[in-house]
Amino acid sequence: MKGTRPYSYRRSMLKFFEHDSNGMKDMIRELLQNIMEEEARDQAGARHYERTPGRRAHRNGHKDRSLVTRYGKVDLRKPQFREVSFETSVFGRYSRAEKAIVNTISESYLQGVSTRKMKKVLSMLDVEVSKSTVSRILEELDEDIREFLERPLGVTPYVFVDATYVKIRDNGRYVTKPLFTAMGVNSEGYKEILGVKIMQREGEEFYTEFFEDLKRRGLQGVKMVISDGHQGIKQAVKNCFICSWQYCHLHFRRNVLKTIPQKQRKEISDLLKEYMESPNLLANYSEELRLKGLDRASKIIDKNMEDLFNYLAFPSYQWIKLRTTNTLENVHSRIKKRTTPIGAFPNDQSVLRVVVSMLMDINEEFVTDKKHIQIERNEY
């Protein structure tokens, strides 16, 4: 396309800015300043100095404000009105997850588990943090997290469940714990983060506890739970809900392909994806694999056949969204990008500060996004 920079050029520019904190700070400052100016225009009902009968407020200069990002402190100019207060999302939604990361690192530093790397990170953030300041901010953040995790739930026909792992200090040693996440599609068809919980390990009793907590908060009307093939999830679904359980097709194919020689995986992966459109086709392919000497793959298919096609009981226009946990996996991928650089966390609560702060923002994205599933009819 004429006037469009080549991809390699754009990629080089991004790499340049990622390693140039001042350049990235300038980009962030310009973007956020433009966002606030647009917000001011919308709230005032007119542009700066514009004469229009629809004006609702008049500008009254700016107020200096700063925002801490991973690239350092960004100085901004917040618009002011004479008649009313100016409201902006910049110092709320944007900064919440960043603040959680800074506070988690700061908390590690203050609790005596710091390293030279922690000091370097704080220095790069250009932030002087006192213990009392961190305590006050953490109390406010913890209250936001508690409210989010305890908010009432309602009718949610479809629930997606997955776990990711984080390293946490526990009784003087670092252990890896599973972080359970449940995402639902509500009665209107919109995605929603239902709950998050850190557990000691994955197992039926822990998933049962997780589901019962969601029910305590009002989760109801569940028709199907979609997850990977963990048997603890499957049994917990039977314990807690009167609904079907759907084995995620992507996880299932991965498990089958683990038993296949490397040189045959591409071909079998493509055929599996094609034959998984029909129970009969997949059953025939299982027999074909057995005849080829791939008994382990054939047994996995036969063992899980009854849990692979429960989505067929629902309207056909919903099928593509009901047979995988891809959306929730994408959420966990975003979480990993934030938690991996931190490394090990000092305690469970510090994990929740980072993860739930992110999920609160993701949940707001879900609310304003288009419907994930059309509940009543096909709109695609």
Side-chain angles (χ1 to χ4, degrees):
M1 183 181 296
K2 186 177 180 180
T4 301
R5 297 283 191 178
Y7 170 72
S8 59
Y9 174 85
R10 296 197 302 272
R11 184 172 58 183
S12 298
M13 290 300 294
L14 285 174
K15 285 184 177 180
F16 170 77
F17 281 116
E18 285 173 0
H19 289 87
D20 179 7
S21 61
N22 289 329
M24 184 61 77
K25 282 167 61 177
D26 288 341
M27 290 178 66
I28 293 172
R29 180 187 300 109
E30 182 177 357
L31 172 64
L32 299 184
Q33 193 66 54
N34 287 338
I35 289 174
M36 285 196 291
E37 294 301 333
E38 287 299 314
E39 289 176 327
R41 186 196 69 176
D42 291 342
Q43 292 174 39
R47 294 185 181 277
H48 212 26
Y49 300 118
E50 181 182 5
R51 296 180 180 274
T52 172
R55 178 181 287 278
R56 295 183 292 273
H58 294 79
R59 301 288 286 269
N60 188 31
H62 293 79
K63 182 177 181 181
D64 292 337
R65 287 287 305 272
S66 62
L67 177 69
V68 175
T69 75
R70 73 185 72 181
Y71 299 99
K73 188 183 297 182
V74 174
D75 295 318
L76 299 168
R77 300 175 69 243
K78 180 182 175 183
Q80 300 290 298
F81 294 140
R82 283 201 291 267
E83 298 87 350
V84 296
S85 297
F86 170 66
E87 302 293 337
T88 177
S89 62
V90 166
F91 299 99
R93 289 185 57 187
Y94 178 86
S95 63
R96 186 161 55 211
E98 295 289 351
K99 184 190 296 182
I101 293 173
V102 175
N103 289 336
T104 298
I105 295 172
S106 302
E107 184 184 50
S108 300
Y109 176 74
L110 293 169
Q111 287 187 359
V113 294
S114 63
T115 64
R116 281 176 292 182
K117 182 179 179 181
M118 292 293 186
K119 293 180 181 179
K120 183 178 179 181
V121 171
L122 287 172
S123 174
M124 291 172 61
L125 287 167
D126 191 26
V127 182
E128 293 294 332
V129 184
S130 70
K131 190 168 185 177
S132 61
T133 298
V134 171
S135 297
R136 176 180 55 79
I137 295 175
L138 292 180
E139 286 178 5
E140 295 174 359
L141 188 59
D142 287 346
E143 179 61 22
D144 290 342
I145 290 170
R146 188 195 66 76
E147 289 180 1
F148 181 75
L149 294 180
E150 288 294 323
R151 77 191 192 283
L153 302 176
V155 175
T156 309
Y158 306 119
V159 176
F160 300 79
V161 181
D162 197 8
T164 188
Y165 282 81
V166 287
K167 186 172 289 186
I168 307 171
R169 186 176 178 85
D170 189 357
N171 294 323
R173 62 192 183 92
Y174 284 99
V175 297
T176 301
K177 295 183 180 181
L179 177 81
F180 293 1
T181 308
M183 184 195 82
V185 176
N186 62 30
S187 57
E188 295 181 350
Y190 290 99
K191 293 175 289 187
E192 180 181 2
I193 299 296
L194 301 176
V196 186
K197 200 159 190 175
I198 299 172
M199 293 295 194
Q200 292 300 314
R201 61 180 183 275
E202 288 194 81
E204 176 187 336
E205 66 272 32
F206 295 103
Y207 278 110
T208 297
E209 178 184 340
F210 184 50
F211 291 151
E212 289 295 339
D213 189 55
L214 297 178
K215 290 170 63 178
R216 175 186 60 80
R217 291 168 49 208
L219 179 67
Q220 58 185 301
V222 178
K223 297 180 179 179
M224 187 162 69
V225 176
I226 304 95
S227 74
D228 63 17
H230 197 286
Q231 291 300 303
I233 300 179
K234 180 179 179 180
Q235 190 57 49
V237 170
K238 292 181 180 179
N239 297 341
C240 301
F241 304 109
I242 303 175
C243 73
S244 56
W245 173 70
Q246 172 65 44
Y247 190 172
C248 169
H249 279 200
L250 182 60
H251 284 90
F252 170 75
R253 289 203 307 272
R254 288 173 183 168
N255 286 337
V256 173
L257 292 175
K258 288 177 183 177
T259 70
I260 304 296
Q262 185 67 44
K263 63 181 180 180
Q264 296 177 266
R265 286 184 183 176
K266 176 63 171 65
E267 175 189 357
I268 291 179
S269 177
D270 292 341
L271 290 173
L272 261 180
K273 189 173 182 179
E274 177 183 346
Y275 294 149
M276 286 181 70
E277 295 293 327
S278 160
N280 291 334
L281 289 175
L282 187 60
N284 291 336
Y285 190 53
S286 174
E287 178 62 18
E288 184 179 329
L289 291 174
R290 188 185 65 79
L291 293 174
K292 289 181 177 180
L294 299 172
D295 290 351
R296 290 174 62 198
S298 177
K299 288 179 180 178
I300 291 175
I301 294 175
D302 294 343
K303 177 182 176 181
N304 294 285
M305 183 70 72
E306 67 178 41
D307 298 312
L308 288 170
F309 296 97
N310 286 321
Y311 72 92
L312 295 177
F314 300 93
S316 59
Y317 53 81
Q318 298 180 358
W319 291 353
I320 194 171
K321 301 292 180 67
L322 294 179
R323 56 193 182 191
T324 72
T325 59
N326 287 358
T327 301
L328 186 51
E329 281 208 357
N330 289 337
V331 170
H332 276 173
S333 177
R334 293 171 65 175
I335 289 173
K336 281 293 187 184
K337 287 181 180 178
R338 290 291 181 88
T339 58
T340 300
I342 294 174
F345 289 83
N347 50 51
D348 289 3
Q349 187 61 26
S350 64
V351 176
L352 293 177
R353 285 170 187 147
V354 171
V355 172
V356 179
S357 294
M358 287 188 64
L359 292 177
M360 289 165 71
D361 285 338
I362 290 173
N363 201 56
E364 290 179 13
E365 293 174 13
F366 287 169
V367 171
T368 58
D369 200 358
K370 71 175 185 177
K371 292 183 179 181
H372 187 63
I373 293 176
Q374 184 68 14
I375 299 296
E376 298 298 333
R377 61 182 179 84
N378 183 8
E379 66 175 12
Y380 299 104

